[in-house]
Amino acid sequence: MPIREAVAGDWPRIWPFWHRIVAAAETYTWDPETPEDAARTLWTAPPKRVYVAEDPTGTVTGSAYLTPNYGGPASAIAGAGFMVDPDHAGRGIGRALAEHVLAEARAQGYRAMVFNAVVETNPAVGLWTSLGFTVLATVPEAFDHPRHGLVGLHIMYRALD
């Protein structure tokens, strides 16, 4: 599946699933009522590098960003965000995006990647652990999940040797 760096014209194709996922309030710590202009800033503002996955028809089926997780002397530690359009879930898009972003992070000189707030009930936890991420800690009852109630937020880490 083609994965490429996003261009400005991709945002209108990302926004519908971005909004759907964040509004569900199950996997991201962003406000479920985030307006589109603020969402675009959260997902695409520099220094983020944004990528999109497309199906054979050119439909954007997922997106990811790569960014420094910290600044200054710790700027070689990457952070990232991933979303797959729920209408295209279960087709390996998340894994393909993750492998692409991990390769990009290595190529850009990052030494490791950290996820600051992975909702412990997020099915992607299995993907991250299969790709070598470990849970460093869990902040207990930090996320008010609409179906599961209070659940933890994992801090996950992987070296990029």
Side-chain angles (χ1 to χ4, degrees):
M1 112 189 25
I3 297 175
R4 62 173 172 77
E5 196 152 353
V7 296
D10 289 322
W11 176 252
R13 301 184 318 154
I14 296 168
W15 165 246
F17 64 83
W18 192 104
H19 175 66
R20 183 174 169 194
I21 291 166
V22 173
E26 295 186 351
T27 55
Y28 273 87
T29 60
W30 293 325
D31 182 348
E33 297 180 21
T34 302
E36 184 177 0
D37 59 331
R40 185 177 190 153
T41 298
L42 284 168
W43 199 254
T44 66
K48 291 177 177 149
R49 307 261 321 250
V50 180
Y51 304 92
V52 293
E54 294 178 315
D55 71 10
T57 69
T59 299
V60 171
T61 57
S63 183
Y65 68 77
L66 174 65
T67 191
N69 198 56
Y70 309 110
S75 62
I77 306 302
F82 299 85
M83 287 191 185
V84 173
D85 183 334
D87 292 338
H88 297 275
R91 301 179 191 174
I93 298 164
R95 179 172 294 277
L97 277 167
E99 290 171 349
H100 182 85
V101 169
L102 287 166
E104 285 290 320
R106 275 189 222 93
Q108 293 176 35
Y110 288 104
R111 293 191 316 266
M113 186 172 286
V114 170
F115 300 144
N116 298 318
V118 180
V119 178
E120 70 181 347
T121 56
N122 186 336
V125 171
L127 171 61
W128 304 133
T129 56
S130 77
L131 290 170
F133 283 83
T134 59
V135 176
L136 296 178
T138 302
V139 181
E141 298 185 343
F143 187 88
D144 193 1
H145 194 283
R147 290 182 294 120
H148 303 295
L150 294 175
V151 298
L153 288 174
H154 292 323
I155 300 165
M156 299 185 78
Y157 167 85
R158 179 191 161 168
L160 297 177
D161 11 67

